[in-house]
Amino acid sequence: MLALAQPTPRLPNQYYPDDENVRQYFSAQIRQLSPERSLRAAIGQSPVRRSSVRPTEKPLRKSASTVAGKSMLSAASDDDTNSTVKGDTAKPQALLRSNTDVVRSRQLLPENPDPSEEWEMRHGYDEQYNSTKYLEHLSSTFFMYYTDKRHDTGGKPRQQDPNYNSSEWRMRDRLKTVSAALIMCLNIGVDPPDVVKTNPTAKLECWIDPTPVIGTNSKTMEQIGKKLQEQYEGLSIRVRYKQYLDPSVEETQKFCKSLRRNAKDERILFHYNGHGVPMPTPSGEIWVFNRNYTQYIPVSLYDLQIWLGAPSLYVFDCSNAGNIIANFDRFVEKHEEEDAEAKRKDPNLQLPTHGDNIQLAACGKTESLPTNPSLPADLFTCCLTTPIDISLRFFLLNNPLPSEVSLKDVTRIPGRLAERRSPLGELNWIFTAITDTIAWNLLPRATFKKLFRQDLMVAALFRNFLLSERIMRANGCHPMSVPSLPETHNHPLWQAWDLTIEMVLAQLPAMIAAEDGGPSYEYVHSEFFTDQLTAFEVYLAQGAPNQEAPSQLPIVLQVLLSQVHRLRALILLSRFLDMGAWAVNLALTIGIFPYVLKLLQSAAFELKPVMIFIWARILAVDGACQADLIKDNGYQYFLTMLNPSAQLPVPNQSEHRAMSAFIIAMFCRGFSQGQTVCLSPELIETCISHFQDAENPLLRQWSCLCISMLWADFPEAKWVGIRSQAHQKLCEMAIDPVPEVRAAALHALNNFLGIPDLTAQVAHYEESVASTIMIMTNDGNSMVRRELLVFFSTFVKRYQNKFLVTAFEQLVEEKESLLDTAAKNNWNPQHGSLSRRCSKPGSDDEADFQRVSKGSVQGTMWMHLLILSVDPHPEVAQDAKIIVDYIHEVLLASPLGWRAQPLMIDIVRLSRRAAVSNPPVASRQPSAAPNGRRTPLSGSPGPPALPKNESYLSAGMRRTASMAAAMKRLTFGGSAEDSQPSQTVHVTQHYPGGPKRSRVPEEWSRPPDIHDPESKPKVYIKAKSPKPKGFQKYDPSSAPALPLKSGFFDWSIEVIILVVLRDRQLTAQQYFGEPQMRPNEPDEPGSGDYNKKLWRRSRNEKVLNCTQPLKGLAGTSRWDEPVGYFNNGSQPTKMCFHQFEDHLAIADDRDSICIWDWTNHTRLCRFSNGNPPGSRINEARFINEDDSALLLTGSSDGIVKIFRNYESDKSIELVSAFRALTDHVPSTKNAGLVLDWQQGQGKLLVAGDVKAIRVWNAATEICTNNITARSNSPITSLTHDAVEGSTLIAGYGDGAIRVFDQRLKPSTEMVRVWRKHNQWITNVHMQRGGFRELVSGCRDGEVKLWDLRWKDEVRTIRAVETEGGGGGGGATRGGVMRGLSVHEHAPVFAAGSSSHTLNVFHTNGTPLSVLSPTIPSTYTGTHFLQSHRHTPMASSAFHPHRMVVAGGAVGSGWINVWRCKGVEGMEEKI
């Protein structure tokens, strides 16, 4: 195990990171609970903090000189027997940090204290608790662990909907209008027979009056036609327009066919003005002329559809135009039926399409066009082609207020439509934004995309069609369209349009006067866009409830065209995109992509941070934008920003460089052109330089992934990386404190493998990488171990032949080990095939067999794979089994198969024989093999048969000597030949200068329960073992395939960059969470999860407020008032109360854990810890108790597991599982695994039958410290000070107690040793609250109280009387103390005896109660509820806050719960 310099997590996210007011409120509430100091400080609790933010690399291990003041304890020498502590009489300075701690409150002291008692804080902690700065620190910082996204998902990307298309926003079938036929059937001077015009009547056609000049009809027609073309050109200049003035039917047929022939498959515009011909017939026929203009000739829609084909866009400006719309689809269906019939006759026949048509009509079936003389005759056409002019005229005509502006003046508004800063251009710009917004809010998304984003001409006409609906309806007409649109004439934004027009017209007289030579006038621009951006900002502040689309999104898009509002619009847009994938999809659908792509060419310095963020969000949702980035070298924008020398106008430059690295990685992913254009030594060296950024793990992670994507399947890039030593730098990331960074480095190294030309040089590079990262097999994070197995699988596939030899040699060694075990146990294999022959190809004597793979990278990796195949995490074990199974299957199919198969059969038979000879024992026996499974001494039952679909590994190899041999070889450096796991290894260490201790009875240094018989309840049903979230079991019937597929990159894409914008400046924080914002975000004020947190916080404060005044009563009253009595179903070995929930976790002597509601006597959940036979659960703790707690368990095979939703059978999940003790040496003096959890520091202290104390950092999930135990005896108990967390105390099997200060260097970290006990330490515990008593107890019944500043004990209490006299050599089992429990805050402890009693004492030695658990007759055979006085106590536990204690006896599943008398009445008063 590699011991690292211990990092301190930089965790600035507080409990409520987004609401400073909430933090201040609760701080004030906490202070009000006690007049002198906060109640939290008084009882040792702190507000919740989170560990989601990645830790930094600031070293926590400090020498004594780096700590404020002197170290609390002086350093001791390496010789623990001669160690001396300086300054025993001087009062040392208190430690500086705590998770839970207590300051003495006078109101909690006894009313009549004994003057002889020392009512002072132990260990010199008084000054610390009286510090105002310290109390403020407690009320502001507290962290949660194992709650990050990697724990929620296990590093697996979420399952995508197979029907989901991330690029759905793209217009795959984009069409454009290429040709337009402008048909003007006016016949000036001749009114059609069915039209009766009013007098006066509307005259203007295209804003031209055709009547003033008599005899110039032809020139007027030309002017009108030309004017109409100009108006259409204002919509789209690229369309080929052709005027057809009063055409005949033959001309109509000819030009229609010509248009379709030239347009091919593109869209044609057919504009029909029928003001000079009869109205359309009820069947939809339109009218044209004959050659001599003497007759009106009808044109059937059937014929028109044949001539024009599809796709086409029709505009009908005539009375009764609704008849055309009503009949159009009927003829289309007729064409489709005829085409289908023709296809049946001739399948090869090429036929035109008729279905894709868009139609716009001026009015309904029976409606006539308006004849208002103040309006043009072609009002519908004017609305479609000149919306600004007709809007101004419409406003003046409908304005009830007097105005200085006339109808003629509106034509003199300065500017051009294309100049957005001019008055006329601004009107057009605002009109476009308003009509787009109305359509966006009212139309279905598919319809909006088809009509407003597919074709520029269609978009312009439909945008203006919305205006025509408003104006035409005001004049008695109802325009129609296909596809039909909902009513838009009454949308509220039309009022904003009227206001805009009014503001322009109000300034028009002054502008006209300035134009005519009067005083100059500066136009005042509209506040429309500013107001709409403010409205959008309000929407963002509300948090997008129910993911409702913002109505202002199209306006934000239009604002991007303006340099004045662009920065603000981009910042607001980035905040919107940050809401999740749904927001990004909405923005892409509205048409944001072309704008942000064009902005990559902008050199504006202030836009760079927000552009980087927007592109990161777009690529996180849709990675198919690579081809777009290569256009105009858009990727260079991000390559430049990735360079450390590039400056950004924001303080958090590293976060934006991380986003740039992400963009480059996405650009190169599976895109060879992107890899080619990005390939340069500068890019790789830039990424390598970012490896040193200690403050931003996200930058380190994406720098690794950027290199990974750059050289994936790209040999040239790999050679460039080799020259830059990138592979070596990536190997150094194996000890990075952030699991995501370690996994990213493995991902890059996995893609490094595979240079096509496998030369000796290439093999050297790859093998050096493999040997370097094998240390990561001990990583505490399952995601990292899974990524390591992906690398192993690629390496195994690449060097497959070498692994076949390695696997074969391991089989030979496996059989040899089992035969040696058989010989030592004096049993005959009974099978001739189980001889030592025929194992080496070409040799009959296996004694001459020499391992070719000995000392090779392949041999070591194979041993690691065997170990990982029994990993405690199911997903890791499953992946490793796939690799091992693959090699075994290939081995059986190889030329070595005929020799390997007999070996496998022999191993299975030997394993079964060993199982029969040495059945496993589940009681307290020598601990399991170092790998967590049984040694050949304990045996392993093989399966009854070897099915075809079952691997050799699952059939027996993983349960036999190979695992122990592999672990021993890796841990102690032994070779294959000398690894005999059947023998127990006892390591004797000698410390110089240490006197030899006198010989004591061996029984004294053994666990008190070593002779307990195995409990045998009548019915024991094995519980279900929880699995990780999203676990998918591998189908054994399917053939294993290599290499394994990594999902880490896809999971990493699901990274949200949470952007908080204040004062128009970007500040970013990395937040690993779901990419799509959930309705109830935990940190979103007002959400359900947030309210639950607030409720739990209030509940916790109430519990603390009610229980702390009871501490004085607890030390003076009896504890024999029964509270609960329930049957656990199996013998308890460990108990643990939740601080605030009514939960009691009980671990039995098998592998089951039960969660009880101890107040209602209801079992909430029962599950299996998944222990292998021969091991059991040693520890159970709750962590993160201030919020949503997790359950942590430790078992005697060195495994630690953490469970979420532990109180629900249906929802329970495995969060994490790792091997905390990797070199767990079997010992006859078995302590198994002992641990202690430091919530404030986020550390897990683990020890047991090993020669060291391992310190695991929960934030980094690696072992950060390895403290030498300095004794041959096992460590039986661990505790720590909850003030700063740097001091830990360990109890040993020989009775010694040692104190370690983690801040000191290894040679001096042991600062004190007490040898006042002479037998097995049952428990040593330092209170989190109260007076911080340090209490220890040993098996002879003595309990001692200690002060870290003193050499001798403070007090000795005889808690259990011995039957043999004085606890000396004649002590018997009748006087053995089985367990010791200490209340966290009250001055009370309880000692369990071997005579079926639980003795409760005050810490001053005063006995309070003697409790005897009751056992029903079903267990004892005695009368109902009669005490059984011959079974020892198995376990006991105090509630951390309430005055409650629970206990259980050996051989019984019944749990008794008692409480202190008088507590209930006081709680009611409080």
Side-chain angles (χ1 to χ4, degrees), residues 1393-1417:
S1393 71
S1394 56
S1395 58
H1396 198 73
T1397 61
L1398 184 65
N1399 305 325
V1400 183
F1401 286 82
H1402 192 285
T1403 53
N1404 61 11
T1406 303
L1408 300 177
S1409 293
V1410 177
L1411 308 176
S1412 296
T1414 53
I1415 302 175
S1417 58

Short mmCIF file of all heavy atoms in Angstrom, two decimals, residues 1393-1417:
data_model
loop_
_atom_site.label_atom_id
_atom_site.label_comp_id
_atom_site.label_asym_id
_atom_site.label_seq_id
_atom_site.Cartn_x
_atom_site.Cartn_y
_atom_site.Cartn_z
N SER A 1393 -20.74 -8.26 30.85
CA SER A 1393 -20.00 -9.32 31.51
C SER A 1393 -20.32 -10.67 30.88
O SER A 1393 -21.23 -10.81 30.07
CB SER A 1393 -20.35 -9.35 33.00
OG SER A 1393 -21.67 -9.83 33.18
N SER A 1394 -19.56 -11.66 31.31
CA SER A 1394 -19.81 -13.02 30.85
C SER A 1394 -20.87 -13.71 31.68
O SER A 1394 -21.17 -14.88 31.46
CB SER A 1394 -18.51 -13.83 30.88
OG SER A 1394 -17.95 -13.81 32.19
N SER A 1395 -21.42 -12.99 32.66
CA SER A 1395 -22.47 -13.56 33.52
C SER A 1395 -23.82 -12.97 33.21
O SER A 1395 -24.66 -12.81 34.10
CB SER A 1395 -22.11 -13.33 35.00
OG SER A 1395 -21.97 -11.93 35.25
N HIS A 1396 -24.02 -12.56 31.97
CA HIS A 1396 -25.33 -12.12 31.49
C HIS A 1396 -25.79 -10.82 32.17
O HIS A 1396 -26.98 -10.64 32.44
CB HIS A 1396 -26.38 -13.22 31.71
CG HIS A 1396 -27.63 -13.03 30.88
ND1 HIS A 1396 -27.65 -13.26 29.53
CD2 HIS A 1396 -28.89 -12.63 31.22
CE1 HIS A 1396 -28.87 -13.02 29.07
NE2 HIS A 1396 -29.64 -12.62 30.07
N THR A 1397 -24.87 -9.92 32.42
CA THR A 1397 -25.24 -8.63 32.99
C THR A 1397 -24.57 -7.51 32.21
O THR A 1397 -23.48 -7.68 31.66
CB THR A 1397 -24.83 -8.53 34.47
OG1 THR A 1397 -23.41 -8.66 34.57
CG2 THR A 1397 -25.54 -9.57 35.31
N LEU A 1398 -25.25 -6.38 32.22
CA LEU A 1398 -24.71 -5.15 31.64
C LEU A 1398 -24.65 -4.14 32.78
O LEU A 1398 -25.69 -3.67 33.27
CB LEU A 1398 -25.61 -4.65 30.51
CG LEU A 1398 -25.11 -3.42 29.74
CD1 LEU A 1398 -23.82 -3.74 29.00
CD2 LEU A 1398 -26.18 -2.94 28.75
N ASN A 1399 -23.43 -3.82 33.22
CA ASN A 1399 -23.22 -2.98 34.39
C ASN A 1399 -23.02 -1.53 33.96
O ASN A 1399 -22.09 -1.24 33.20
CB ASN A 1399 -22.01 -3.45 35.19
CG ASN A 1399 -22.12 -4.92 35.56
OD1 ASN A 1399 -23.22 -5.42 35.82
ND2 ASN A 1399 -21.00 -5.62 35.58
N VAL A 1400 -23.88 -0.63 34.44
CA VAL A 1400 -23.83 0.77 34.07
C VAL A 1400 -23.19 1.55 35.21
O VAL A 1400 -23.60 1.41 36.38
CB VAL A 1400 -25.23 1.32 33.77
CG1 VAL A 1400 -25.14 2.77 33.31
CG2 VAL A 1400 -25.91 0.47 32.70
N PHE A 1401 -22.17 2.36 34.88
CA PHE A 1401 -21.42 3.12 35.87
C PHE A 1401 -21.36 4.59 35.47
O PHE A 1401 -21.42 4.94 34.29
CB PHE A 1401 -19.97 2.60 35.97
CG PHE A 1401 -19.82 1.30 36.68
CD1 PHE A 1401 -20.05 0.10 36.02
CD2 PHE A 1401 -19.45 1.25 38.02
CE1 PHE A 1401 -19.90 -1.11 36.66
CE2 PHE A 1401 -19.30 0.04 38.67
CZ PHE A 1401 -19.53 -1.14 38.00
N HIS A 1402 -21.22 5.42 36.50
CA HIS A 1402 -20.81 6.81 36.30
C HIS A 1402 -19.30 6.80 36.09
O HIS A 1402 -18.59 5.92 36.57
CB HIS A 1402 -21.18 7.64 37.53
CG HIS A 1402 -21.06 9.13 37.30
ND1 HIS A 1402 -19.84 9.77 37.25
CD2 HIS A 1402 -21.99 10.09 37.13
CE1 HIS A 1402 -20.02 11.07 37.05
NE2 HIS A 1402 -21.34 11.29 36.96
N THR A 1403 -18.79 7.78 35.36
CA THR A 1403 -17.35 7.82 35.11
C THR A 1403 -16.54 8.08 36.37
O THR A 1403 -15.32 7.90 36.36
CB THR A 1403 -17.02 8.89 34.07
OG1 THR A 1403 -17.60 10.13 34.47
CG2 THR A 1403 -17.55 8.51 32.69
N ASN A 1404 -17.20 8.48 37.46
CA ASN A 1404 -16.47 8.63 38.72
C ASN A 1404 -16.40 7.33 39.49
O ASN A 1404 -15.89 7.28 40.61
CB ASN A 1404 -17.10 9.73 39.58
CG ASN A 1404 -18.55 9.42 39.95
OD1 ASN A 1404 -19.04 8.29 39.75
ND2 ASN A 1404 -19.24 10.41 40.50
N GLY A 1405 -16.95 6.24 38.91
CA GLY A 1405 -16.91 4.93 39.53
C GLY A 1405 -18.16 4.53 40.25
O GLY A 1405 -18.25 3.40 40.75
N THR A 1406 -19.15 5.39 40.30
CA THR A 1406 -20.40 5.07 41.00
C THR A 1406 -21.24 4.12 40.17
O THR A 1406 -21.58 4.44 39.02
CB THR A 1406 -21.19 6.35 41.28
OG1 THR A 1406 -20.39 7.26 42.03
CG2 THR A 1406 -22.47 6.03 42.04
N PRO A 1407 -21.59 2.95 40.69
CA PRO A 1407 -22.48 2.05 39.93
C PRO A 1407 -23.90 2.61 39.89
O PRO A 1407 -24.41 3.11 40.87
CB PRO A 1407 -22.40 0.74 40.71
CG PRO A 1407 -22.01 1.12 42.09
CD PRO A 1407 -21.16 2.35 41.99
N LEU A 1408 -24.50 2.51 38.71
CA LEU A 1408 -25.84 3.04 38.51
C LEU A 1408 -26.88 1.94 38.37
O LEU A 1408 -27.96 2.03 38.94
CB LEU A 1408 -25.86 3.95 37.28
CG LEU A 1408 -24.94 5.18 37.32
CD1 LEU A 1408 -25.02 5.96 36.02
CD2 LEU A 1408 -25.32 6.07 38.50
N SER A 1409 -26.59 0.92 37.59
CA SER A 1409 -27.56 -0.15 37.37
C SER A 1409 -26.85 -1.42 36.95
O SER A 1409 -25.74 -1.38 36.37
CB SER A 1409 -28.59 0.23 36.28
OG SER A 1409 -29.41 1.29 36.71
N VAL A 1410 -27.49 -2.55 37.22
CA VAL A 1410 -27.07 -3.84 36.70
C VAL A 1410 -28.23 -4.39 35.89
O VAL A 1410 -29.29 -4.71 36.44
CB VAL A 1410 -26.68 -4.81 37.83
CG1 VAL A 1410 -26.31 -6.17 37.25
CG2 VAL A 1410 -25.54 -4.26 38.65
N LEU A 1411 -28.05 -4.48 34.59
CA LEU A 1411 -29.12 -4.86 33.67
C LEU A 1411 -28.93 -6.29 33.23
O LEU A 1411 -27.81 -6.71 32.91
CB LEU A 1411 -29.13 -3.93 32.45
CG LEU A 1411 -29.15 -2.43 32.74
CD1 LEU A 1411 -29.04 -1.64 31.44
CD2 LEU A 1411 -30.42 -2.05 33.49
N SER A 1412 -30.02 -7.03 33.18
CA SER A 1412 -29.99 -8.42 32.73
C SER A 1412 -30.97 -8.57 31.58
O SER A 1412 -32.19 -8.47 31.79
CB SER A 1412 -30.36 -9.37 33.87
OG SER A 1412 -29.41 -9.31 34.90
N PRO A 1413 -30.48 -8.80 30.39
CA PRO A 1413 -31.40 -8.98 29.25
C PRO A 1413 -32.30 -10.19 29.47
O PRO A 1413 -31.88 -11.23 29.96
CB PRO A 1413 -30.46 -9.19 28.07
CG PRO A 1413 -29.15 -8.63 28.51
CD PRO A 1413 -29.07 -8.86 29.98
N THR A 1414 -33.54 -10.03 29.11
CA THR A 1414 -34.50 -11.13 29.20
C THR A 1414 -34.55 -11.89 27.90
O THR A 1414 -34.50 -11.31 26.81
CB THR A 1414 -35.90 -10.58 29.52
OG1 THR A 1414 -36.24 -9.57 28.58
CG2 THR A 1414 -35.94 -10.01 30.93
N ILE A 1415 -34.65 -13.21 28.01
CA ILE A 1415 -34.67 -14.09 26.86
C ILE A 1415 -35.90 -14.97 26.97
O ILE A 1415 -36.12 -15.60 28.01
CB ILE A 1415 -33.41 -14.95 26.77
CG1 ILE A 1415 -32.16 -14.04 26.73
CG2 ILE A 1415 -33.44 -15.87 25.56
CD1 ILE A 1415 -30.86 -14.81 26.76
N PRO A 1416 -36.74 -15.07 25.96
CA PRO A 1416 -37.95 -15.90 26.05
C PRO A 1416 -37.62 -17.37 26.10
O PRO A 1416 -36.52 -17.81 25.76
CB PRO A 1416 -38.72 -15.53 24.78
CG PRO A 1416 -37.67 -15.09 23.83
CD PRO A 1416 -36.63 -14.40 24.66
N SER A 1417 -38.60 -18.13 26.49
CA SER A 1417 -38.40 -19.56 26.66
C SER A 1417 -38.09 -20.28 25.37
O SER A 1417 -37.54 -21.36 25.38
CB SER A 1417 -39.65 -20.18 27.30
OG SER A 1417 -40.79 -19.91 26.48
#
